[in-house]
Amino acid sequence: MSMPQDLKYTESHEWVRLEGDIATVGITQVAVDQLTDLVYVDLPAAGIEVQARRPFGEIESVKAVSELISPVSGKVVETNDAVSGDPTVISGDPYGAGWLIKISLTDPAELDNLLDAGAYGGTLDK
């Protein structure tokens, strides 16, 4: 499976793209494939503080409801309203238009705890 090499990943299938001190967060293609038909996304409002390894929202498919786990700590500075209105945007482009939230980092060192593409891919073989 091909995945962007410039991102950091969690074992719970979230990804992070760092631009300055802003981390854009989404879910991976693996998560999309496991969930199948997405029907609802619950995301925090801008201004909410999130903590690494803690839930920040939920994503619902016809099969299940799953928690979204924040890969980093900080303040939500933007929420992707397009995916809240139409969760299928995530399915169509999970690494682009399907991003979920943008976080102003409080501890950039937390990124060191995340997986690179190779390590994330290795977790999928288990």
Side-chain angles (χ1 to χ4, degrees):
M1 171 176 296
S2 170
M3 63 195 74
Q5 299 295 307
D6 62 328
L7 304 179
K8 294 285 197 166
Y9 298 88
T10 67
E11 289 187 17
S12 57
H13 310 297
E14 287 84 16
W15 58 260
V16 176
R17 175 180 294 116
L18 188 63
E19 300 171 59
D21 65 345
I22 303 296
T24 301
V25 176
I27 63 170
T28 66
Q29 185 66 55
V30 172
V32 169
D33 293 346
Q34 289 176 352
L35 289 166
T36 65
D37 299 324
L38 301 177
V39 296
Y40 178 74
V41 181
D42 181 32
L43 299 174
I48 298 292
E49 295 281 338
V50 295
Q51 296 296 317
R53 298 177 302 283
R54 300 269 188 204
F56 69 84
E58 292 182 335
I59 190 163
E60 184 175 340
S61 72
V62 295
K63 290 176 26 175
V65 175
S66 299
E67 288 184 326
L68 297 164
I69 308 298
S70 184
V72 292
S73 300
K75 183 182 285 190
V76 176
V77 294
E78 189 176 349
T79 298
N80 188 350
D81 293 333
V83 301
S84 295
D86 182 7
T88 62
V89 172
I90 301 167
S91 304
D93 189 10
Y95 301 110
W99 63 273
L100 302 175
I101 60 174
K102 294 188 180 192
I103 301 169
S104 177
L105 296 178
T106 54
D107 184 3
E110 288 176 337
L111 293 166
D112 297 336
N113 299 325
L114 302 177
L115 305 169
D116 64 20
Y120 174 68
T123 67
L124 304 176
D125 298 332
K126 293 179 182 177

